Amino acid sequence: MIWIKTLSLLLLPALFMNSVMTTGFAEETVLNHDDDPDPGREKYIWNPFPGFCGENATKARCAGVCPETCAFKSLKCPNYCGVNCICKPDYVFDEKLQLCILKSDCPQDIKQEVVETHRVFQ
Ligand SMILES: *[C@@H]1O[C@H](CO)[C@@H](O)[C@H](O)[C@H]1NC(C)=O
């Protein structure tokens, strides 16, 4: 019986490492568009793109959780895959409208700040 224990002790971390290494991103769940986001649940990401990316975004496997917005540009971001749509070049994510808009269409009174991390998707 000892050998089974030894074997599983050796194997389990190997399997875990393998799953982390193949994706490079932490496990997460992307919620449906209709589900309410819960800021307390870091592992869940609310998807603002209802099944398709819309005219101003394109499909991406790992678009991350810190897209550039009218108000913020992040220097760093946690390694979550996030939603599977990314704003097209020259477009930023508008957090009020919950869609990508042309950067030049951002409200004039908002001055974009470069910050350490601004996490948009929860
Ligand atoms: C696309 O971007 C334009 C220009 O900023 C904006 O007016 C429009 O609302 C956006 N549409 C969608 C569906 O994201």
Side-chain angles (χ1 to χ4, degrees):
M1 274 310 161
I2 294 274
W3 67 271
I4 293 186
K5 241 185 185 166
T6 312
L7 195 69
S8 60
L9 277 176
L10 288 171
L11 232 82
L12 283 178
L15 287 174
F16 175 74
M17 281 308 290
N18 192 39
S19 70
V20 168
M21 269 150 67
T22 48
T23 61
F25 287 91
E27 282 281 323
E28 65 185 24
T29 304
V30 176
L31 297 179
N32 290 325
H33 179 70
D34 297 328
D35 292 338
D36 261 344
D38 176 351
R41 281 189 317 199
E42 284 187 21
K43 277 185 77 179
Y44 291 85
I45 291 175
W46 181 73
N47 186 6
F49 299 99
F52 52 92
C53 293
E55 56 180 311
N56 302 330
T58 46
K59 270 202 139 175
R61 202 174 69 83
C62 289
V65 290
C66 313
E68 185 180 347
T69 68
C70 287
F72 299 106
K73 191 172 184 168
S74 299
L75 294 172
K76 285 188 200 157
C77 195
N79 269 355
Y80 290 117
C81 264
V83 298
N84 57 357
C85 296
I86 194 163
C87 297
K88 287 178 178 172
D90 298 328
Y91 287 80
V92 295
F93 192 76
D94 187 305
E95 290 188 88
K96 254 198 205 124
L97 302 172
Q98 291 283 304
L99 44 77
C100 300
I101 63 166
L102 259 178
K103 203 171 173 179
S104 55
D105 281 346
C106 284
Q108 289 300 303
D109 56 321
I110 293 181
K111 240 189 134 213
Q112 193 191 59
E113 272 179 73
V114 177
V115 293
E116 194 70 7
T117 299
H118 176 70
R119 189 169 166 165
V120 174
F121 300 125
Q122 300 292 343

